[in-house]
Amino acid sequence: MKKYNVGIIGYSWAAGAHIEAINQTSLAQVTAICSSRNLNSKEISAKHGGTIKCYTDLAEMLADPELHIISICSYPAEHAEQAIMAAKAGKHLIIEKPVALSWEDCLAVQSAVESAGVRTCVCFECRFSSQLETTKAIIDKGLLGKIHYGEVDYYHGVGPWYGQFRWNIKKEAAGSSLLSAGCHALDALLFLMGNDVESVHSLATYSANEDFAKYEYPTTSVSVLKFDGGRIGKVSSVIDCLQPYYFHIHLIGSEGSLLDNKFYSTQMGGLNKNKWSELSMKMLDSGDVSDHPYQKQFETFFQAIDENKEMPLTSLTDALHTHEVLFAADQSAEQNG
Amino acid sequence: MKKYNVGIIGYSWAAGAHIEAINQTSLAQVTAICSSRNLNSKEISAKHGGTIKCYTDLAEMLADPELHIISICSYPAEHAEQAIMAAKAGKHLIIEKPVALSWEDCLAVQSAVESAGVRTCVCFECRFSSQLETTKAIIDKGLLGKIHYGEVDYYHGVGPWYGQFRWNIKKEAAGSSLLSAGCHALDALLFLMGNDVESVHSLATYSANEDFAKYEYPTTSVSVLKFDGGRIGKVSSVIDCLQPYYFHIHLIGSEGSLLDNKFYSTQMGGLNKNKWSELSMKMLDSGDVSDHPYQKQFETFFQAIDENKEMPLTSLTDALHTHEVLFAADQSAEQNG
Amino acid sequence: MKKYNVGIIGYSWAAGAHIEAINQTSLAQVTAICSSRNLNSKEISAKHGGTIKCYTDLAEMLADPELHIISICSYPAEHAEQAIMAAKAGKHLIIEKPVALSWEDCLAVQSAVESAGVRTCVCFECRFSSQLETTKAIIDKGLLGKIHYGEVDYYHGVGPWYGQFRWNIKKEAAGSSLLSAGCHALDALLFLMGNDVESVHSLATYSANEDFAKYEYPTTSVSVLKFDGGRIGKVSSVIDCLQPYYFHIHLIGSEGSLLDNKFYSTQMGGLNKNKWSELSMKMLDSGDVSDHPYQKQFETFFQAIDENKEMPLTSLTDALHTHEVLFAADQSAEQNG
Amino acid sequence: MKKYNVGIIGYSWAAGAHIEAINQTSLAQVTAICSSRNLNSKEISAKHGGTIKCYTDLAEMLADPELHIISICSYPAEHAEQAIMAAKAGKHLIIEKPVALSWEDCLAVQSAVESAGVRTCVCFECRFSSQLETTKAIIDKGLLGKIHYGEVDYYHGVGPWYGQFRWNIKKEAAGSSLLSAGCHALDALLFLMGNDVESVHSLATYSANEDFAKYEYPTTSVSVLKFDGGRIGKVSSVIDCLQPYYFHIHLIGSEGSLLDNKFYSTQMGGLNKNKWSELSMKMLDSGDVSDHPYQKQFETFFQAIDENKEMPLTSLTDALHTHEVLFAADQSAEQNG
Amino acid sequence: MKKYNVGIIGYSWAAGAHIEAINQTSLAQVTAICSSRNLNSKEISAKHGGTIKCYTDLAEMLADPELHIISICSYPAEHAEQAIMAAKAGKHLIIEKPVALSWEDCLAVQSAVESAGVRTCVCFECRFSSQLETTKAIIDKGLLGKIHYGEVDYYHGVGPWYGQFRWNIKKEAAGSSLLSAGCHALDALLFLMGNDVESVHSLATYSANEDFAKYEYPTTSVSVLKFDGGRIGKVSSVIDCLQPYYFHIHLIGSEGSLLDNKFYSTQMGGLNKNKWSELSMKMLDSGDVSDHPYQKQFETFFQAIDENKEMPLTSLTDALHTHEVLFAADQSAEQNG
Amino acid sequence: MKKYNVGIIGYSWAAGAHIEAINQTSLAQVTAICSSRNLNSKEISAKHGGTIKCYTDLAEMLADPELHIISICSYPAEHAEQAIMAAKAGKHLIIEKPVALSWEDCLAVQSAVESAGVRTCVCFECRFSSQLETTKAIIDKGLLGKIHYGEVDYYHGVGPWYGQFRWNIKKEAAGSSLLSAGCHALDALLFLMGNDVESVHSLATYSANEDFAKYEYPTTSVSVLKFDGGRIGKVSSVIDCLQPYYFHIHLIGSEGSLLDNKFYSTQMGGLNKNKWSELSMKMLDSGDVSDHPYQKQFETFFQAIDENKEMPLTSLTDALHTHEVLFAADQSAEQNG
């Protein structure tokens, strides 16, 4: 047996990815699942390995002292309440994004976590991807100098062909284009440019395509952000496009630029300024959660718990910076609507 | 002798491109140049072909009844006054962008042109480029459906290595990042998405690079636009980057997307949605005016004069739509600064 | 249970592809197989899913009133007789190509089908491929104008390394290069240029390679076709080559050309005429039946049955146009031999 | 002074290419031109180098005993008569293709040449191109085994944008699609597969494009050829297409295939049969005569004269093989029209 | 049952590859395994197919008269002794490289094999790879002329992420960089340039990387070889690099060069000397034994046994040429250390 | 007039490149040439610009007090003596490589330069190329860690098609493969790995190609070098190959590798180790001196003179390190011959 036992809330698409990733880490395994559906423990255990106890009552699962960590993979609207319950039960928390559907609920989660003194990891797992790790290294090596303009955008058509489309189209379930998916782009922008956002201005709109007409909220939005010192950022969140998945990053700095997997830098000898150099890395080119770097994120989280220190990069504190800007953006879009 | 004689104002970098392009059309030739420098008619004629008379006094040149068309290639700050003088003298007008450095001056030019009943062509020549012609055809064929989000951006580092850098850094000479160069991107966005802009919000900033520190105005700006019906557009104008020239176009429509020379459309049988199809066209990949499609624009203009009809695509009326939004964007950036 | 039950004749390579594709449609499943081999129903059911009854006597299988559709995957020489039997039994028909090994037999099948009033689908499934769907859309959008010359060719070395080589080499079993495989290319040409063929002239030959010496008929043929209005077509059928599989399409029209996945059109703004644009699509680049678009074809067929209308694109009527030209080509080749 | 003096007949586009290429050889120079236009010897000499005497009367030029070789670059309809005159005058002959516009005239030229005992070089210069030299070497090394099927095609839109379009559209001036241009493809096929053609069958047609409507003869033709031993060839000649220039070669042999610059061979160890190997060579990808390998052809011709032996590859005898098939093809097309 | 039974010594990573490859040949199957671990015959048989008897005592296994061939996949230090035992038992031998860890032991194996009159196959299986087969064919066709300089190098970082790293780091277990892995490169050089090596000079060194610090011997070596007639060769063996796997081959001959999958030759008509032609072949681009061409090598070996003739390319005699040079190289490196 | 006047010795191919490059710098111009040929000052001045005085007597040219710098572009055998004369005359020195044909002569030059106190620049201009500048920056940024193995090689077929072939084939004129050309590769290796070479071992050989048979010295050599601390280097110099020009660089370090324009580094976040990243830079891919970065080198030299400091990268001191190893390598090759 590995050191930590994890209980999952919700038995969704994301949950499947969490279970597989958690079981592949060196420190933890999934031993409990709580779902509104009546799951068969035997079947579930056989499917995922180990022994997994299945619950329909969350309080019951949280009462198990052998469970050290709770991973929340339920519908977004349930995240906050469940996170607060689990924190109060003294469990460390993995929370699928978003943390909550309102800023008030986010603050409530934060408060519960602080009171309970538990560790947290919010699934902005893209920060652990090859693409963002390399991009961050390029910046940290000084190859781009000081960045004064940055764009990170999310283009991914989430139509009827997607499993979560069923509930993702509801406003009370998914919230907004940014909340339901584009938050990864906004989070990446803050990761790369800093959290010191001074203002945000957003616009949002709809596609004329019939498939996307089922959405109860605008499926495309664009936000421009002003950072401390006058630096500028921009995030588009487009879940109603018909094209290849595209996680677009363009950073303009005083010593060079980075565009997706390409860069130019004055700091690398005699590079050709008129033709991009190319970095070989695994791009964020899929919306499929099974392609996402969950395992690396969870391994890091379990190590942090083990060493009794704060989760790097994606703690609740990190994630709330992103959520605060996100809710401000959605509010701006509504006002400008 | 071809049918129309053209007099050039200013003997700049742009003027060189105008002269060559005009002389290659089927209907017109350059026969006069007015410059503050004392040019030698013989040398200038030998260099450009034909017989070119050189003036230092504009009124004198305009007094020549043999001149049918005036092309204004002087500093931007002089455009408006010279355009008004030439219109009053009954000359048809070619005006290098921008038309003027303020919206008031634009309106004054418009008024003079209307009074004089002369024809006009403003150098938003990119509308005649292979890239924009093909992009427009893709839209007109319905391959993208209805476009609800569009980005057109201008990335071109205009540093000390550029001839016009000398005066381009001055606020009263060049105006802003958009006015001095990025207007081509804004103009393209309106060309592709329509003129019915309802609001614009902009932010602007500076690079920390020493070379670009000489600019008296912010060299990077981003603007988000709201069009009639809630459609959204976005324009970045970046003249302080260190990277390959990039005229970025990304259009999201109800039936497909276009990204630079790539597209996907539901309207083309069984295209692969996960891999872009590629259009072979001449991209706008250079800030060098000698690469710009002036000749096609001028040929079209001379034909329009000959057929006594409005210049298509780049008449003063067309151009003023773009200027109006541009000045609104610059004002917004200043307020948000 | 889905709505329609399908019985398969023959348990060959093609049959395997049919069964898998039929079971993946929304309207039908395979419930019976008739083979000269004594198959075990239990094993077969376990392998393919559902409950499959196995017969060795065709009349017996056809007598089952629960069977609605018969799919003929036997040796080509048996197709016609079995199709007639099944039609007489009132079953709708899926027929693997070719329909028969002579034009007379084709007509007999047609007559039986018409008398019985059953629906038909002949496996020219390439018409449902991404490549041909997109190519047809390009034509239908007018991008090529009027096509006056078209080539569709089939290059696929069918040697001892291929399962069906064993019987494919026999003249009475496979017929000719066109009948055994190249008919897909001829069918595609008629699909793209029309059925109105006025004459055909063919030549056929053999490879000097030892492996291909086992063929009892010429393994390479070329045919030139004259269409109504003087348009010209050409089909090569080469099953004795040593090279990558190649389904070559080259169409010359009054407004552009298409070469495989590449095109140029005057109707798309300013495309570069000297460099092909490229369509991203799944090419017909394999002779493996498991790569062929059977499922889409069968889904369409079952929908057509359900709506009581003619199968689009690959009904017996459509297929007989191709067969008529094919037999004329083979006759011409023999005369010119 | 180099050893041989050449007189040019006609001062056309092709003549320009001949003059430049001849003057770059080691053995000859152009010293005379005969044109219907009154050319100025001084200007012409200055332009091309050396001393060039200009004539309007052919007999006069031919009377010059210092002239050793005559290059015929006039309109095709004049070739035969001029060749006969020059041969009678004892001059060696360079003849631009075609040799004549009828087979009878070809035979008359042959007869005159034989009587006079002069050397000949007909401009099927593509045989000296990197592409055909390499393709021939691939065959000669046995990499393709015995070729049983070969296609060589000529795709080149010769429209109003081409200088020779003016006269090329006339039937009596240019003859046919094959005669005016496609003969290079037919000649290449015979070069690669042999001269032993037993029969030819052709079809010809027109484009519906307005620009090409000016042609007095069918602008697209396809011919299938039967060679000794049953081998098959096919030549398309298309001068009314809108696409990149394409000299298409596809050879199918008993040990491999060659497609343009790609090949597979069983004779090269463990090459991958499913992916082409690629030859780096200068492709025939332009109809511009200045891109054609004239110099190598002429150098070879002058060496042959110098060594008093037959011109290799493109002697009149070689060329007449191609012409004989060509006229048979055109006759077939007319009969099948 | 196929004709030959094979017994495996050692149940390692390599053994797995041997078993799978042997069982896929047409002439032999694995029927016995001898391992220091107590293997369960039933499990092992189920895993690999057929009936496999498991031994822990080698003498016992060798006593089985039904076993015809022994494949030695144990630790390198055990190869020699086991080979001698098996030869004495009259078994034909497959020996994983290296044959032994000293030249003396190699000679002892050779002596035992000669006395016993058994057939041998040493696993320099790369000689049967697509890359080396094609490269050899290029040479044998004369495309490179006479080779006077050749480089074959092995770049493959064998760090903690590799299974065999555990024992590969020990000097007494693995010997040297060349012995443990780079011998494939040295063997390929001799295969391509001949066995007539006159002298070798080597240098060896270590990486400063912590992971590679665990090696007890130098992990990088370079050797220069002088062949008969003054020809030169060079082999680098680098198992401490951080980069993609690279089996580098560069051959310089009197008529051309080959660089990996690229070549130029004067013997192929008019190839472009300034741009490489490219061969499509399966490159040696992985250190994973399951990617190696064992099956082809073993099929060849079993055929040789069946026809009672010497194994081509990789007999013990062939392999000892390589080993002799290898030990000389390692000795030279030590002297120069 | 710019500040420094330069006199050129020799009017060769290299001289042409020097003159053009010197005249394009900001600080110097060519004002004198000394050649054994009687040059016409007027013509030479017209050709190169400015006023150039032509000499046949070196002493006379050196006597001109207006000349500040001498650039030695004569035959290699004359370099040393002329350099000593010029140094004694108090001129700063540009010396084409090699400095001399023996180490003794190198030392004599060094001694003269030290006595005279003049500044020196030896034409190892590749150190100023985009490729080597970027490669050095990669190393200096620590991206490769500590380099323990490096290869730099020179592949360039110098045959009869090359101007300098005439004298390059003579041993007393050109010396050796390394001296005549490959020294650029050796110099680059020392630039990248340091000057602390402890030993060198070389082999040399000849091509069997007829064209290269005219060389009086071995045209291919390979050298292995041992650096301080046991690091290893290797240089091939091949001037008798038939292939594209190739300046091959492969560096193996403790944190990554660089291969030509490709690299992998553990220091750049999550780069893919199995696929190279690519640097966009101007490669050393031509032996043509007009492609070499002379201008940058000379500009740097004139600045160094102006600031009265040592020339960076290519001073005589730097160059002599390379020459010392080079002569040792040639001596080793001779001993091992």
Side-chain angles (χ1 to χ4, degrees), chain A residues 52-266:
Chain A
I52 299 178
K53 195 165 172 187
C54 294
Y55 300 85
T56 52
D57 183 64
L58 178 53
E60 202 180 329
M61 180 170 86
L62 293 176
D64 181 355
E66 299 291 299
L67 276 184
H68 312 96
I69 300 161
I70 295 296
S71 171
I72 300 175
C73 298
S74 51
Y75 293 117
E78 305 168 335
H79 287 189
E81 191 185 341
Q82 293 168 343
I84 291 167
M85 277 178 73
K88 285 186 178 161
K91 311 301 187 191
H92 301 299
L93 294 178
I94 293 170
I95 311 176
E96 249 310 323
K97 54 90 196 157
V99 170
L101 293 179
S102 73
W103 182 234
E104 292 66 35
D105 286 354
C106 284
L107 294 176
V109 173
Q110 187 181 32
S111 166
V113 161
E114 279 170 8
S115 302
V118 296
R119 295 287 176 206
T120 54
C121 168
V122 178
C123 289
F124 281 142
E125 71 281 355
C126 296
R127 292 191 177 204
F128 289 89
S129 67
S130 170
Q131 181 173 5
L132 288 185
E133 282 190 336
T134 303
T135 302
K136 195 64 165 56
I138 290 276
I139 296 171
D140 292 347
K141 285 261 168 205
L143 296 181
L144 305 183
K146 185 183 163 196
I147 298 173
H148 59 284
Y149 183 56
E151 298 192 345
V152 184
D153 305 315
Y154 184 89
Y155 294 99
H156 179 208
V158 180
W161 51 85
Y162 248 76
Q164 79 255 41
F165 180 74
R166 184 177 44 83
W167 57 265
N168 201 52
I169 54 176
K170 306 284 178 194
K171 188 166 176 52
E172 74 270 25
S176 73
S177 180
L178 273 175
L179 258 174
S180 84
C183 52
H184 282 306
L186 176 60
D187 184 64
L189 184 72
L190 301 195
F191 176 50
L192 300 171
M193 290 193 64
N195 291 319
D196 47 355
V197 176
E198 295 186 346
S199 68
V200 58
H201 180 96
S202 302
L203 293 175
T205 192
Y206 294 89
S207 166
N209 182 290
E210 216 170 279
D211 278 341
F212 298 116
K214 288 166 192 145
Y215 273 94
E216 296 176 0
Y217 54 83
T219 37
T220 284
S221 72
V222 61
S223 305
V224 287
L225 296 81
K226 195 168 152 191
F227 290 82
D228 180 54
R231 291 168 302 125
I232 312 178
K234 174 254 170 182
V235 171
S236 300
S237 175
V238 182
I239 62 173
D240 57 11
C241 52
L242 295 156
Q243 63 162 73
Y245 183 102
Y246 187 21
F247 199 91
H248 171 256
I249 302 181
H250 197 163
L251 304 175
I252 311 294
S254 57
E255 299 301 337
S257 289
L258 177 139
L259 174 57
D260 302 334
N261 65 330
K262 298 172 287 191
F263 77 100
Y264 169 76
S265 170
T266 62

Side-chain angles (χ1 to χ4, degrees), chain E residues 275-287:
Chain E
K275 189 156 172 285
W276 296 103
S277 291
E278 288 199 20
L279 300 160
S280 166
M281 53 190 183
K282 171 88 185 67
M283 304 302 284
L284 290 165
D285 55 8
S286 154

